[in-house]
Amino acid sequence: VRMAQSAETTVEKAAAVIVNGATLFTISGGPIIIDELIALCITDNNATASTLQFSADGTDGAATTISGASASLASAVAGTIVATVPGTLATAPALYANGVGIAGTVGIVVPAGIITAVVGVGSTTGTWKFQMRYRPLTSGVLVY
């Protein structure tokens, strides 16, 4: 019997403009539980009414949205946070304009594969940094 690694871990992606279908994170070696998945605005957006939704596309299976679409990101300023509400797949991520938000309490299980951005209306003009807090469900899991 092998013991699964279950310590909470975090991973972060460098700030970039968000485009539809962009791979945010790659998961290899087994499934994880996402405890928190956020986008942090680094540079201000213009008035484009973009929305953000998260999707998981497992190595086996098909792409599945793991959140609803956020409120409009139009004119979002540096410090704005878009945060998932773990445990509710259809719920829109919360938009916190003042940089303080509420973390979820129930994780989302996703398989090895990729987590992508689903952007409605058009790409953002500001840059966003993605951060994820997760727990691997088996040993040897890598997230990058």
Side-chain angles (χ1 to χ4, degrees):
V1 175
R2 286 179 41 181
M3 295 286 292
Q5 176 187 359
S6 62
E8 183 177 275
T9 307
T10 60
V11 64
E12 178 176 277
K13 272 292 202 202
V17 169
I18 311 170
V19 297
N20 189 50
T23 296
L24 305 177
F25 298 104
T26 300
I27 305 158
S28 66
I32 63 170
I33 295 177
I34 298 173
D35 292 317
E36 191 68 33
L37 177 57
I38 70 165
L40 173 64
C41 185
I42 303 301
T43 60
D44 298 351
N45 276 337
N46 71 2
T48 301
S50 302
T51 59
L52 175 61
Q53 187 173 14
F54 297 100
S55 178
D57 189 357
T59 305
D60 296 322
T64 303
T65 55
I66 58 174
S67 76
S70 70
S72 172
L73 303 178
S75 303
V77 297
T80 297
I81 296 172
V82 176
T84 60
V85 181
T88 52
L89 295 180
T91 300
L95 181 66
Y96 300 106
N98 296 319
V100 177
I102 298 171
T105 57
V106 178
I108 299 171
V109 176
V110 296
I114 58 174
I115 296 174
T116 61
V118 179
V119 178
V121 180
S123 302
T124 64
T125 56
T127 59
W128 295 77
K129 181 186 327 186
F130 290 88
Q131 300 165 323
M132 182 170 62
R133 187 170 50 90
Y134 69 94
R135 290 173 282 149
L137 292 176
T138 189
S139 59
V141 170
L142 295 174
V143 179
Y144 52 93

